[in-house]
Amino acid sequence: MGREVSESCIDSLLTEMVSTYCNRFYANKPELAARRIEAIGYQVGHQLSERYTLERPRFSDHLEAIKFICKDFWSVLFKKQIDNLKTNHRGTFVLQDNRFRWLTRMSIDLSPKNGASEEASIMADNKGVQSMHLYFPCGIIRGALSNLGIPCAVSADISNLPACSFVVRIKA
C-alpha cells in the first residue's frame, strides 16, 4: 500500500493554507485567495490522479471518469466513497458527501449570549470561512478530471453541514 499522511496533519495544513492566503497574502482580496487555494488543489488533484491511474486504461466517457472519482479516488482521499452521484446527462454531475471529512471538525460558535441577529451574522461568517476551505477540494476534483482529459468547472454547496455537494460542469 502507498504512503499515508495523518488526517490531523492534512486538517492542519488545510487550515493554515486557508488562513495564510486569506489573512496574510490576500487579506483584502478574498477572490484572489480563493483562486490561489483552488489552483493549489488543482495541482494536487492532477498529480494524485496521475498516480492512481497509471495502471488503468483510459476512460471511455465522462460518466466512467466521474464514477472513478466517486469510488476509487474519493476512497483513497477520504476513506469512503461519495454517498450519492446525480447527473442531468448533459454534462452536469452532483457529487454528494453526507459527512465531508474536512468540514466535520470545523466548530461553529453559537454562544447563548448572542442575540438572534448576532447569531445570523455568526452563521454567515462561519459559512464564509467554510466555503474558503472548499476551494481546495474543488481544485482537487477539477485537477483530477483535467488529468483524465475532462475540462470542467467545479463548485461546492454547503447548505446542510457537514454534508457537501460538489457540482461538476463539463466544458464543451
Side-chain angles (χ1 to χ4, degrees):
M1 185 148 159
R3 294 173 282 180
E4 293 187 14
V5 176
S6 169
E7 245 182 270
S8 61
C9 290
I10 297 295
D11 288 344
S12 296
L13 177 66
L14 179 61
T15 301
E16 285 303 312
M17 178 178 57
V18 169
S19 175
T20 299
Y21 277 94
C22 291
N23 299 327
R24 279 187 42 207
F25 296 153
Y26 302 107
N28 297 323
K29 299 178 182 175
E31 65 284 347
L32 289 177
R35 283 201 336 231
R36 187 64 190 126
I37 293 166
E38 197 270 349
I40 294 168
Y42 177 90
Q43 288 296 322
V44 170
H46 198 275
Q47 291 173 1
L48 288 175
S49 178
E50 181 72 28
R51 175 180 290 173
Y52 299 139
T53 58
L54 278 176
E55 305 286 321
R56 290 179 172 264
R58 274 293 194 200
F59 297 108
S60 60
D61 64 355
H62 296 327
L63 183 58
E64 205 177 300
I66 294 287
K67 284 181 180 178
F68 164 77
I69 297 295
C70 293
K71 292 180 180 180
D72 302 333
F73 191 75
W74 212 256
S75 293
V76 171
L77 291 179
F78 300 108
K79 310 284 188 262
K80 68 185 278 295
Q81 295 181 0
I82 283 286
D83 295 307
N84 195 1
L85 170 63
K86 297 178 185 174
T87 182
N88 66 359
H89 298 287
R90 292 188 299 266
T92 301
F93 299 89
V94 179
L95 290 65
Q96 175 78 34
D97 189 333
N98 293 331
R99 285 191 49 81
F100 186 56
R101 284 174 114 76
W102 291 348
L103 293 179
T104 55
R105 290 192 181 92
M106 290 188 154
S107 64
I108 298 175
D109 179 23
L110 292 179
S111 305
K113 64 183 179 240
N114 294 330
S117 63
E118 263 187 81
E119 191 172 294
S121 173
I122 288 170
M123 287 294 282
D125 287 347
N126 283 333
K127 289 267 188 188
V129 168
Q130 290 158 341
S131 67
M132 287 305 281
H133 281 78
L134 291 174
Y135 285 104
F136 185 69
C138 285
I140 289 175
I141 295 168
R142 190 173 73 85
L145 288 170
S146 174
N147 183 58
L148 299 175
I150 302 172
C152 63
V154 180
S155 60
D157 175 41
I158 53 169
S159 55
N160 191 17
L161 289 172
C164 183
S165 297
F166 295 95
V167 180
V168 177
R169 290 182 180 83
I170 307 296
K171 294 180 180 175

